[in-house]
Short mmCIF file of all heavy atoms in Angstrom, two decimals:
data_model
loop_
_atom_site.label_atom_id
_atom_site.label_comp_id
_atom_site.label_asym_id
_atom_site.label_seq_id
_atom_site.Cartn_x
_atom_site.Cartn_y
_atom_site.Cartn_z
N MET A 1 18.19 5.16 -12.29
CA MET A 1 17.24 5.12 -11.20
C MET A 1 15.84 5.42 -11.75
O MET A 1 15.65 6.39 -12.45
CB MET A 1 17.64 6.19 -10.18
CG MET A 1 17.19 5.87 -8.80
SD MET A 1 17.69 7.10 -7.57
CE MET A 1 19.43 6.79 -7.43
N SER A 2 14.88 4.58 -11.43
CA SER A 2 13.53 4.82 -11.93
C SER A 2 12.67 5.45 -10.84
O SER A 2 12.86 5.22 -9.67
CB SER A 2 12.90 3.51 -12.41
OG SER A 2 12.73 2.63 -11.33
N GLU A 3 11.75 6.26 -11.28
CA GLU A 3 10.83 6.92 -10.35
C GLU A 3 9.76 5.91 -9.95
O GLU A 3 9.25 5.17 -10.76
CB GLU A 3 10.18 8.13 -11.02
CG GLU A 3 9.45 9.03 -10.09
CD GLU A 3 10.34 9.75 -9.08
OE1 GLU A 3 11.54 9.89 -9.32
OE2 GLU A 3 9.82 10.16 -8.04
N GLY A 4 9.43 5.88 -8.70
CA GLY A 4 8.41 4.96 -8.20
C GLY A 4 7.77 5.55 -6.98
O GLY A 4 7.69 6.76 -6.83
N MET A 5 7.36 4.69 -6.08
CA MET A 5 6.68 5.14 -4.87
C MET A 5 7.22 4.42 -3.66
O MET A 5 7.57 3.25 -3.74
CB MET A 5 5.19 4.82 -4.97
CG MET A 5 4.47 5.49 -6.08
SD MET A 5 2.84 4.76 -6.27
CE MET A 5 3.30 3.18 -6.94
N ARG A 6 7.24 5.13 -2.56
CA ARG A 6 7.53 4.53 -1.26
C ARG A 6 6.21 4.46 -0.52
O ARG A 6 5.47 5.44 -0.49
CB ARG A 6 8.53 5.36 -0.47
CG ARG A 6 9.89 5.35 -1.08
CD ARG A 6 10.87 6.18 -0.24
NE ARG A 6 12.20 5.72 -0.51
CZ ARG A 6 12.84 4.79 0.19
NH1 ARG A 6 12.27 4.25 1.23
NH2 ARG A 6 14.04 4.40 -0.14
N ILE A 7 5.94 3.32 0.05
CA ILE A 7 4.66 3.08 0.71
C ILE A 7 4.92 2.75 2.17
O ILE A 7 5.80 1.95 2.48
CB ILE A 7 3.92 1.91 0.04
CG1 ILE A 7 3.71 2.19 -1.44
CG2 ILE A 7 2.60 1.62 0.75
CD1 ILE A 7 3.44 0.96 -2.25
N SER A 8 4.17 3.38 3.03
CA SER A 8 4.24 3.00 4.45
C SER A 8 2.83 2.92 5.00
O SER A 8 1.93 3.63 4.56
CB SER A 8 5.09 3.98 5.25
OG SER A 8 4.55 5.27 5.20
N VAL A 9 2.66 2.01 5.92
CA VAL A 9 1.36 1.80 6.55
C VAL A 9 1.55 1.93 8.05
O VAL A 9 2.42 1.28 8.64
CB VAL A 9 0.77 0.41 6.21
CG1 VAL A 9 -0.56 0.20 6.94
CG2 VAL A 9 0.59 0.24 4.72
N ASP A 10 0.75 2.77 8.67
CA ASP A 10 0.76 2.89 10.12
C ASP A 10 -0.01 1.70 10.66
O ASP A 10 -1.25 1.70 10.68
CB ASP A 10 0.11 4.22 10.55
CG ASP A 10 0.16 4.44 12.04
OD1 ASP A 10 0.34 3.46 12.80
OD2 ASP A 10 0.00 5.61 12.45
N LEU A 11 0.72 0.67 11.06
CA LEU A 11 0.08 -0.57 11.49
C LEU A 11 -0.63 -0.42 12.84
O LEU A 11 -1.47 -1.25 13.18
CB LEU A 11 1.11 -1.70 11.54
CG LEU A 11 1.69 -2.05 10.16
CD1 LEU A 11 2.80 -3.08 10.30
CD2 LEU A 11 0.62 -2.53 9.20
N ASN A 12 -0.33 0.64 13.57
CA ASN A 12 -1.08 0.92 14.80
C ASN A 12 -2.46 1.49 14.48
O ASN A 12 -3.40 1.34 15.26
CB ASN A 12 -0.32 1.89 15.70
CG ASN A 12 0.92 1.27 16.28
OD1 ASN A 12 0.90 0.13 16.73
ND2 ASN A 12 2.02 1.99 16.23
N LYS A 13 -2.56 2.13 13.34
CA LYS A 13 -3.82 2.74 12.90
C LYS A 13 -4.67 1.76 12.08
O LYS A 13 -5.90 1.81 12.11
CB LYS A 13 -3.46 3.95 12.02
CG LYS A 13 -4.42 5.05 12.03
CD LYS A 13 -3.82 6.18 11.19
CE LYS A 13 -4.53 7.46 11.41
NZ LYS A 13 -4.03 8.52 10.57
N CYS A 14 -4.00 0.87 11.35
CA CYS A 14 -4.68 -0.09 10.48
C CYS A 14 -5.62 -0.98 11.28
O CYS A 14 -5.26 -1.51 12.32
CB CYS A 14 -3.64 -0.96 9.76
SG CYS A 14 -4.35 -2.25 8.72
N GLU A 15 -6.85 -1.12 10.79
CA GLU A 15 -7.85 -1.96 11.46
C GLU A 15 -8.24 -3.16 10.60
O GLU A 15 -9.28 -3.77 10.81
CB GLU A 15 -9.06 -1.12 11.84
CG GLU A 15 -8.72 -0.08 12.89
CD GLU A 15 -9.92 0.69 13.40
OE1 GLU A 15 -11.07 0.30 13.09
OE2 GLU A 15 -9.70 1.68 14.10
N SER A 16 -7.42 -3.49 9.62
CA SER A 16 -7.57 -4.68 8.78
C SER A 16 -8.88 -4.74 8.01
O SER A 16 -9.47 -5.79 7.84
CB SER A 16 -7.41 -5.95 9.62
OG SER A 16 -6.16 -5.96 10.27
N TYR A 17 -9.34 -3.60 7.52
CA TYR A 17 -10.52 -3.60 6.66
C TYR A 17 -10.22 -4.23 5.30
O TYR A 17 -11.13 -4.65 4.60
CB TYR A 17 -11.03 -2.17 6.44
CG TYR A 17 -11.69 -1.58 7.66
CD1 TYR A 17 -11.07 -0.58 8.39
CD2 TYR A 17 -12.95 -2.01 8.06
CE1 TYR A 17 -11.67 -0.03 9.52
CE2 TYR A 17 -13.57 -1.47 9.19
CZ TYR A 17 -12.92 -0.48 9.90
OH TYR A 17 -13.52 0.06 11.01
N ALA A 18 -8.95 -4.24 4.91
CA ALA A 18 -8.46 -4.89 3.69
C ALA A 18 -8.92 -4.24 2.39
O ALA A 18 -8.83 -4.86 1.34
CB ALA A 18 -8.80 -6.38 3.69
N GLN A 19 -9.38 -3.03 2.44
CA GLN A 19 -9.76 -2.33 1.20
C GLN A 19 -8.55 -2.19 0.28
O GLN A 19 -8.68 -2.30 -0.94
CB GLN A 19 -10.36 -0.97 1.51
CG GLN A 19 -11.66 -1.03 2.29
CD GLN A 19 -12.71 -1.83 1.55
OE1 GLN A 19 -13.03 -1.55 0.41
NE2 GLN A 19 -13.23 -2.85 2.20
N CYS A 20 -7.38 -1.96 0.85
CA CYS A 20 -6.16 -1.81 0.05
C CYS A 20 -5.88 -3.09 -0.74
O CYS A 20 -5.40 -3.02 -1.88
CB CYS A 20 -4.98 -1.46 0.95
SG CYS A 20 -4.68 -2.61 2.31
N CYS A 21 -6.18 -4.24 -0.17
CA CYS A 21 -5.93 -5.52 -0.83
C CYS A 21 -6.78 -5.69 -2.08
O CYS A 21 -6.35 -6.32 -3.04
CB CYS A 21 -6.19 -6.67 0.14
SG CYS A 21 -5.16 -6.63 1.61
N PHE A 22 -7.96 -5.13 -2.07
CA PHE A 22 -8.83 -5.22 -3.23
C PHE A 22 -8.33 -4.33 -4.38
O PHE A 22 -8.41 -4.70 -5.54
CB PHE A 22 -10.27 -4.82 -2.88
CG PHE A 22 -10.94 -5.77 -1.94
CD1 PHE A 22 -11.25 -5.36 -0.65
CD2 PHE A 22 -11.24 -7.07 -2.32
CE1 PHE A 22 -11.87 -6.24 0.24
CE2 PHE A 22 -11.85 -7.95 -1.44
CZ PHE A 22 -12.16 -7.53 -0.16
N PHE A 23 -7.82 -3.16 -4.04
CA PHE A 23 -7.39 -2.20 -5.06
C PHE A 23 -5.98 -2.46 -5.58
O PHE A 23 -5.69 -2.16 -6.74
CB PHE A 23 -7.49 -0.77 -4.53
CG PHE A 23 -8.90 -0.29 -4.43
CD1 PHE A 23 -9.55 -0.23 -3.21
CD2 PHE A 23 -9.60 0.08 -5.57
CE1 PHE A 23 -10.86 0.20 -3.11
CE2 PHE A 23 -10.92 0.52 -5.49
CZ PHE A 23 -11.55 0.57 -4.26
N ALA A 24 -5.09 -2.99 -4.74
CA ALA A 24 -3.70 -3.23 -5.15
C ALA A 24 -3.21 -4.57 -4.58
O ALA A 24 -2.35 -4.60 -3.71
CB ALA A 24 -2.81 -2.08 -4.71
N PRO A 25 -3.74 -5.67 -5.07
CA PRO A 25 -3.38 -6.98 -4.51
C PRO A 25 -1.92 -7.37 -4.72
O PRO A 25 -1.41 -8.23 -4.01
CB PRO A 25 -4.33 -7.94 -5.23
CG PRO A 25 -4.72 -7.24 -6.48
CD PRO A 25 -4.71 -5.78 -6.15
N ASP A 26 -1.23 -6.75 -5.66
CA ASP A 26 0.19 -7.05 -5.87
C ASP A 26 1.06 -6.35 -4.83
O ASP A 26 2.24 -6.66 -4.69
CB ASP A 26 0.64 -6.61 -7.27
CG ASP A 26 -0.01 -7.43 -8.36
OD1 ASP A 26 -0.44 -8.57 -8.09
OD2 ASP A 26 -0.10 -6.93 -9.49
N VAL A 27 0.49 -5.40 -4.11
CA VAL A 27 1.24 -4.62 -3.13
C VAL A 27 0.82 -4.94 -1.70
O VAL A 27 1.65 -5.01 -0.80
CB VAL A 27 1.09 -3.10 -3.41
CG1 VAL A 27 1.81 -2.27 -2.38
CG2 VAL A 27 1.59 -2.77 -4.81
N PHE A 28 -0.47 -5.15 -1.48
CA PHE A 28 -1.01 -5.37 -0.14
C PHE A 28 -1.61 -6.77 -0.03
O PHE A 28 -2.28 -7.23 -0.95
CB PHE A 28 -2.11 -4.36 0.18
CG PHE A 28 -1.65 -2.93 0.12
CD1 PHE A 28 -1.84 -2.18 -1.04
CD2 PHE A 28 -1.02 -2.34 1.20
CE1 PHE A 28 -1.42 -0.86 -1.11
CE2 PHE A 28 -0.59 -1.03 1.14
CZ PHE A 28 -0.79 -0.29 -0.02
N GLU A 29 -1.39 -7.41 1.11
CA GLU A 29 -1.95 -8.75 1.34
C GLU A 29 -2.33 -8.88 2.81
O GLU A 29 -1.55 -8.54 3.70
CB GLU A 29 -0.91 -9.81 0.99
CG GLU A 29 -1.37 -11.21 1.25
CD GLU A 29 -0.28 -12.25 1.03
OE1 GLU A 29 0.81 -11.91 0.53
OE2 GLU A 29 -0.53 -13.41 1.38
N LEU A 30 -3.52 -9.38 3.06
CA LEU A 30 -3.96 -9.61 4.43
C LEU A 30 -3.77 -11.09 4.74
O LEU A 30 -4.30 -11.95 4.05
CB LEU A 30 -5.43 -9.22 4.60
CG LEU A 30 -5.94 -9.13 6.02
CD1 LEU A 30 -5.19 -8.06 6.82
CD2 LEU A 30 -7.43 -8.84 6.04
N ARG A 31 -2.99 -11.37 5.77
CA ARG A 31 -2.78 -12.75 6.22
C ARG A 31 -3.62 -12.96 7.46
O ARG A 31 -3.53 -12.21 8.42
CB ARG A 31 -1.32 -12.98 6.57
CG ARG A 31 -0.40 -12.98 5.40
CD ARG A 31 -0.13 -14.41 4.93
NE ARG A 31 0.65 -14.40 3.71
CZ ARG A 31 1.95 -14.62 3.65
NH1 ARG A 31 2.63 -14.85 4.76
NH2 ARG A 31 2.58 -14.61 2.50
N GLY A 32 -4.44 -13.96 7.42
CA GLY A 32 -5.35 -14.19 8.54
C GLY A 32 -6.36 -13.06 8.60
O GLY A 32 -6.75 -12.51 7.58
N HIS A 33 -6.75 -12.69 9.78
CA HIS A 33 -7.75 -11.63 9.94
C HIS A 33 -7.13 -10.31 10.32
O HIS A 33 -7.81 -9.28 10.29
CB HIS A 33 -8.79 -12.03 10.99
CG HIS A 33 -9.61 -13.21 10.58
ND1 HIS A 33 -10.55 -13.15 9.58
CD2 HIS A 33 -9.60 -14.48 11.02
CE1 HIS A 33 -11.09 -14.34 9.42
NE2 HIS A 33 -10.54 -15.17 10.29
N GLU A 34 -5.85 -10.31 10.72
CA GLU A 34 -5.30 -9.08 11.27
C GLU A 34 -3.92 -8.68 10.78
O GLU A 34 -3.46 -7.60 11.10
CB GLU A 34 -5.25 -9.19 12.80
CG GLU A 34 -6.61 -9.33 13.42
CD GLU A 34 -6.54 -9.42 14.92
OE1 GLU A 34 -5.43 -9.35 15.47
OE2 GLU A 34 -7.60 -9.56 15.54
N VAL A 35 -3.22 -9.51 10.03
CA VAL A 35 -1.84 -9.21 9.66
C VAL A 35 -1.77 -8.69 8.22
O VAL A 35 -2.01 -9.43 7.27
CB VAL A 35 -0.95 -10.47 9.82
CG1 VAL A 35 0.48 -10.16 9.41
CG2 VAL A 35 -1.01 -10.99 11.23
N LEU A 36 -1.44 -7.41 8.09
CA LEU A 36 -1.29 -6.81 6.77
C LEU A 36 0.18 -6.86 6.36
O LEU A 36 1.05 -6.39 7.10
CB LEU A 36 -1.76 -5.35 6.76
CG LEU A 36 -1.61 -4.63 5.42
CD1 LEU A 36 -2.59 -5.21 4.39
CD2 LEU A 36 -1.80 -3.15 5.57
N LEU A 37 0.44 -7.43 5.21
CA LEU A 37 1.77 -7.41 4.63
C LEU A 37 1.72 -6.49 3.41
O LEU A 37 0.70 -6.44 2.71
CB LEU A 37 2.19 -8.82 4.18
CG LEU A 37 2.20 -9.90 5.25
CD1 LEU A 37 2.54 -11.24 4.63
CD2 LEU A 37 3.19 -9.55 6.35
N TYR A 38 2.81 -5.76 3.16
CA TYR A 38 2.84 -4.87 2.00
C TYR A 38 4.26 -4.67 1.52
O TYR A 38 5.21 -4.85 2.27
CB TYR A 38 2.18 -3.53 2.33
CG TYR A 38 2.93 -2.69 3.33
CD1 TYR A 38 3.80 -1.69 2.90
CD2 TYR A 38 2.79 -2.88 4.69
CE1 TYR A 38 4.50 -0.91 3.81
CE2 TYR A 38 3.47 -2.12 5.60
CZ TYR A 38 4.33 -1.14 5.16
OH TYR A 38 5.03 -0.37 6.07
N ARG A 39 4.37 -4.36 0.25
CA ARG A 39 5.67 -4.02 -0.33
C ARG A 39 5.92 -2.54 -0.06
O ARG A 39 5.10 -1.70 -0.43
CB ARG A 39 5.65 -4.28 -1.84
CG ARG A 39 5.57 -5.75 -2.17
CD ARG A 39 5.57 -6.06 -3.66
NE ARG A 39 6.09 -5.01 -4.51
CZ ARG A 39 5.66 -4.77 -5.73
NH1 ARG A 39 4.71 -5.50 -6.25
NH2 ARG A 39 6.18 -3.82 -6.45
N PRO A 40 7.04 -2.19 0.55
CA PRO A 40 7.29 -0.78 0.87
C PRO A 40 7.64 0.08 -0.35
O PRO A 40 7.64 1.30 -0.25
CB PRO A 40 8.45 -0.83 1.86
CG PRO A 40 9.09 -2.14 1.61
CD PRO A 40 8.03 -3.07 1.11
N GLU A 41 7.93 -0.55 -1.48
CA GLU A 41 8.22 0.19 -2.70
C GLU A 41 7.46 -0.43 -3.85
O GLU A 41 7.27 -1.65 -3.90
CB GLU A 41 9.72 0.18 -2.99
CG GLU A 41 10.51 0.90 -1.93
CD GLU A 41 12.01 0.93 -2.23
OE1 GLU A 41 12.45 0.21 -3.14
OE2 GLU A 41 12.71 1.66 -1.54
N ALA A 42 7.02 0.40 -4.76
CA ALA A 42 6.31 -0.08 -5.94
C ALA A 42 6.69 0.80 -7.12
O ALA A 42 7.00 1.98 -6.95
CB ALA A 42 4.80 -0.05 -5.72
N GLY A 43 6.65 0.21 -8.28
CA GLY A 43 7.01 0.94 -9.50
C GLY A 43 5.88 1.81 -10.02
O GLY A 43 4.74 1.75 -9.55
N GLU A 44 6.22 2.59 -10.98
CA GLU A 44 5.28 3.54 -11.59
C GLU A 44 4.04 2.83 -12.15
O GLU A 44 2.94 3.38 -12.13
CB GLU A 44 6.00 4.32 -12.69
CG GLU A 44 5.21 5.47 -13.25
CD GLU A 44 4.91 6.55 -12.22
OE1 GLU A 44 5.73 6.79 -11.32
OE2 GLU A 44 3.82 7.16 -12.31
N GLU A 45 4.20 1.60 -12.61
CA GLU A 45 3.07 0.87 -13.19
C GLU A 45 1.99 0.56 -12.15
O GLU A 45 0.85 0.28 -12.50
CB GLU A 45 3.55 -0.42 -13.86
CG GLU A 45 4.05 -1.49 -12.91
CD GLU A 45 5.47 -1.28 -12.38
OE1 GLU A 45 6.14 -0.32 -12.78
OE2 GLU A 45 5.89 -2.09 -11.55
N GLN A 46 2.33 0.62 -10.87
CA GLN A 46 1.36 0.36 -9.80
C GLN A 46 0.73 1.63 -9.23
O GLN A 46 -0.14 1.56 -8.37
CB GLN A 46 2.06 -0.39 -8.65
CG GLN A 46 2.50 -1.78 -9.00
CD GLN A 46 1.31 -2.72 -9.17
OE1 GLN A 46 0.28 -2.57 -8.53
NE2 GLN A 46 1.47 -3.69 -10.04
N ARG A 47 1.18 2.80 -9.71
CA ARG A 47 0.78 4.08 -9.11
C ARG A 47 -0.74 4.22 -8.94
O ARG A 47 -1.23 4.52 -7.86
CB ARG A 47 1.31 5.26 -9.91
CG ARG A 47 0.86 6.62 -9.32
CD ARG A 47 1.54 7.79 -9.97
NE ARG A 47 2.97 7.76 -9.80
CZ ARG A 47 3.61 8.14 -8.69
NH1 ARG A 47 2.93 8.56 -7.65
NH2 ARG A 47 4.92 8.10 -8.63
N ARG A 48 -1.49 4.02 -10.00
CA ARG A 48 -2.94 4.23 -9.93
C ARG A 48 -3.60 3.32 -8.89
O ARG A 48 -4.41 3.76 -8.09
CB ARG A 48 -3.55 4.02 -11.31
CG ARG A 48 -5.02 4.33 -11.34
CD ARG A 48 -5.55 4.37 -12.76
NE ARG A 48 -6.94 4.75 -12.74
CZ ARG A 48 -7.88 4.13 -13.41
NH1 ARG A 48 -7.58 3.12 -14.18
NH2 ARG A 48 -9.12 4.52 -13.34
N LYS A 49 -3.21 2.05 -8.90
CA LYS A 49 -3.80 1.10 -7.96
C LYS A 49 -3.44 1.44 -6.51
O LYS A 49 -4.28 1.36 -5.62
CB LYS A 49 -3.32 -0.32 -8.29
CG LYS A 49 -3.90 -0.86 -9.57
CD LYS A 49 -3.39 -2.25 -9.83
CE LYS A 49 -3.96 -2.79 -11.12
NZ LYS A 49 -3.50 -4.16 -11.39
N VAL A 50 -2.18 1.81 -6.28
CA VAL A 50 -1.73 2.13 -4.91
C VAL A 50 -2.43 3.39 -4.40
O VAL A 50 -2.87 3.45 -3.25
CB VAL A 50 -0.20 2.25 -4.85
CG1 VAL A 50 0.25 2.83 -3.52
CG2 VAL A 50 0.45 0.89 -5.08
N LEU A 51 -2.56 4.39 -5.25
CA LEU A 51 -3.23 5.62 -4.84
C LEU A 51 -4.71 5.37 -4.54
O LEU A 51 -5.26 5.93 -3.58
CB LEU A 51 -3.07 6.72 -5.89
CG LEU A 51 -1.65 7.27 -6.04
CD1 LEU A 51 -1.58 8.26 -7.19
CD2 LEU A 51 -1.15 7.87 -4.74
N ARG A 52 -5.34 4.51 -5.32
CA ARG A 52 -6.74 4.16 -5.05
C ARG A 52 -6.86 3.38 -3.75
O ARG A 52 -7.79 3.57 -2.98
CB ARG A 52 -7.33 3.36 -6.21
CG ARG A 52 -7.54 4.24 -7.44
CD ARG A 52 -8.18 3.50 -8.57
NE ARG A 52 -9.58 3.25 -8.23
CZ ARG A 52 -10.33 2.35 -8.83
NH1 ARG A 52 -9.83 1.61 -9.78
NH2 ARG A 52 -11.58 2.18 -8.48
N ALA A 53 -5.89 2.50 -3.49
CA ALA A 53 -5.88 1.73 -2.25
C ALA A 53 -5.73 2.66 -1.04
O ALA A 53 -6.44 2.50 -0.05
CB ALA A 53 -4.74 0.71 -2.27
N ALA A 54 -4.83 3.62 -1.14
CA ALA A 54 -4.64 4.58 -0.04
C ALA A 54 -5.90 5.40 0.19
O ALA A 54 -6.31 5.64 1.33
CB ALA A 54 -3.45 5.49 -0.34
N ALA A 55 -6.54 5.83 -0.88
CA ALA A 55 -7.76 6.63 -0.76
C ALA A 55 -8.91 5.81 -0.17
O ALA A 55 -9.77 6.35 0.52
CB ALA A 55 -8.16 7.18 -2.13
N ALA A 56 -8.91 4.51 -0.42
CA ALA A 56 -9.99 3.65 0.06
C ALA A 56 -9.85 3.26 1.53
O ALA A 56 -10.81 2.78 2.14
CB ALA A 56 -10.07 2.38 -0.79
N CYS A 57 -8.68 3.47 2.10
CA CYS A 57 -8.46 3.08 3.50
C CYS A 57 -9.35 3.90 4.43
O CYS A 57 -9.23 5.13 4.49
CB CYS A 57 -6.99 3.28 3.88
SG CYS A 57 -6.64 2.83 5.59
N PRO A 58 -10.26 3.26 5.15
CA PRO A 58 -11.20 3.99 6.01
C PRO A 58 -10.53 4.77 7.14
O PRO A 58 -11.07 5.76 7.61
CB PRO A 58 -12.10 2.90 6.59
CG PRO A 58 -11.89 1.70 5.76
CD PRO A 58 -10.52 1.83 5.16
N VAL A 59 -9.35 4.32 7.58
CA VAL A 59 -8.67 5.00 8.69
C VAL A 59 -7.45 5.79 8.23
O VAL A 59 -6.70 6.32 9.04
CB VAL A 59 -8.28 3.99 9.81
CG1 VAL A 59 -9.52 3.38 10.43
CG2 VAL A 59 -7.34 2.93 9.29
N LYS A 60 -7.27 5.88 6.91
CA LYS A 60 -6.17 6.66 6.31
C LYS A 60 -4.81 6.28 6.89
O LYS A 60 -4.01 7.11 7.28
CB LYS A 60 -6.41 8.17 6.47
CG LYS A 60 -7.74 8.63 5.91
CD LYS A 60 -7.84 8.32 4.45
CE LYS A 60 -9.17 8.78 3.86
NZ LYS A 60 -9.63 7.95 2.78
N ALA A 61 -4.55 4.96 6.93
CA ALA A 61 -3.30 4.44 7.50
C ALA A 61 -2.18 4.33 6.47
O ALA A 61 -1.05 4.05 6.84
CB ALA A 61 -3.56 3.07 8.12
N ILE A 62 -2.48 4.56 5.18
CA ILE A 62 -1.49 4.36 4.12
C ILE A 62 -0.93 5.69 3.66
O ILE A 62 -1.67 6.60 3.29
CB ILE A 62 -2.11 3.61 2.92
CG1 ILE A 62 -2.68 2.27 3.38
CG2 ILE A 62 -1.09 3.43 1.81
CD1 ILE A 62 -3.53 1.57 2.35
N LEU A 63 0.40 5.78 3.65
CA LEU A 63 1.10 6.98 3.16
C LEU A 63 1.88 6.59 1.92
O LEU A 63 2.62 5.61 1.93
CB LEU A 63 2.05 7.52 4.23
CG LEU A 63 2.91 8.70 3.82
CD1 LEU A 63 2.05 9.93 3.52
CD2 LEU A 63 3.93 9.00 4.89
N VAL A 64 1.70 7.35 0.84
CA VAL A 64 2.40 7.10 -0.41
C VAL A 64 3.24 8.33 -0.74
O VAL A 64 2.71 9.44 -0.78
CB VAL A 64 1.40 6.83 -1.57
CG1 VAL A 64 2.13 6.56 -2.87
CG2 VAL A 64 0.47 5.67 -1.22
N GLN A 65 4.52 8.10 -0.98
CA GLN A 65 5.43 9.18 -1.33
C GLN A 65 6.15 8.83 -2.62
O GLN A 65 6.46 7.66 -2.86
CB GLN A 65 6.47 9.39 -0.22
CG GLN A 65 5.87 9.81 1.09
CD GLN A 65 6.94 9.88 2.16
OE1 GLN A 65 7.67 8.93 2.37
NE2 GLN A 65 7.02 11.01 2.84
N ALA A 66 6.42 9.85 -3.43
CA ALA A 66 7.20 9.63 -4.64
C ALA A 66 8.64 9.42 -4.22
O ALA A 66 9.12 10.02 -3.25
CB ALA A 66 7.10 10.84 -5.56
N GLY A 67 9.33 8.57 -4.95
CA GLY A 67 10.73 8.35 -4.64
C GLY A 67 11.32 7.29 -5.54
O GLY A 67 10.61 6.51 -6.14
N PRO A 68 12.63 7.26 -5.62
CA PRO A 68 13.29 6.27 -6.47
C PRO A 68 13.12 4.87 -5.90
O PRO A 68 13.12 4.69 -4.69
CB PRO A 68 14.75 6.70 -6.44
CG PRO A 68 14.90 7.53 -5.23
CD PRO A 68 13.56 8.14 -4.96
N THR A 69 12.96 3.89 -6.78
CA THR A 69 12.83 2.52 -6.34
C THR A 69 14.09 1.71 -6.59
O THR A 69 14.23 0.63 -6.07
CB THR A 69 11.63 1.81 -7.04
OG1 THR A 69 11.83 1.87 -8.44
CG2 THR A 69 10.33 2.46 -6.66
N ASP A 70 15.00 2.19 -7.40
CA ASP A 70 16.26 1.51 -7.65
C ASP A 70 17.35 2.13 -6.80
O ASP A 70 17.38 3.34 -6.62
CB ASP A 70 16.67 1.62 -9.13
CG ASP A 70 15.69 0.91 -10.04
OD1 ASP A 70 14.96 0.02 -9.55
OD2 ASP A 70 15.65 1.24 -11.23
N ARG A 71 18.24 1.33 -6.33
CA ARG A 71 19.34 1.85 -5.51
C ARG A 71 20.65 1.58 -6.18
O ARG A 71 20.91 0.67 -6.79
CB ARG A 71 19.31 1.20 -4.13
CG ARG A 71 18.01 1.47 -3.45
CD ARG A 71 18.20 1.43 -1.94
NE ARG A 71 16.98 1.39 -1.23
CZ ARG A 71 16.14 2.39 -1.09
NH1 ARG A 71 16.35 3.51 -1.64
NH2 ARG A 71 15.05 2.26 -0.38
#
C-alpha cells in the first residue's frame, strides 16, 4: 500500500474560480464554466501541486487528507 492523498471538494462551496486547475491540472479540471471534476485520490508525486491548489482556493473548498491510495 502506498501513501498518498485523499482529496475532497465541497462543491456547494466551490465557486469555479479554477485556481486549483492551474496548480494541479492532472487532478482538477473545470468543464464549461461551472463543473469542477477532480480525482479523489492522488499519489505522493502530486502532493506539492495539490497542496498549493488547496491553498490557492479563494473559498477554501478543497480538503486534502493523507491516506493510502492502493486498496
Side-chain angles (χ1 to χ4, degrees):
M1 206 179 287
S2 65
E3 192 66 22
M5 298 168 289
R6 292 181 156 268
I7 302 160
S8 61
V9 177
D10 183 340
L11 296 175
N12 291 316
K13 210 176 195 183
C14 177
E15 294 186 10
S16 303
Y17 288 108
Q19 296 302 305
C20 55
C21 300
F22 293 113
F23 287 103
D26 293 337
V27 178
F28 301 96
E29 177 185 353
L30 193 62
R31 290 264 174 101
H33 295 290
E34 297 180 1
V35 179
L36 179 69
L37 302 176
Y38 67 96
R39 291 181 20 212
E41 296 182 349
E44 189 63 33
E45 69 281 357
Q46 293 290 329
R47 178 171 298 281
R48 185 169 183 228
K49 290 180 180 181
V50 169
L51 291 175
R52 289 183 72 198
C57 179
V59 296
K60 304 301 180 211
I62 303 170
L63 176 64
V64 181
Q65 298 175 307
T69 58
D70 296 338
R71 301 206 192 288

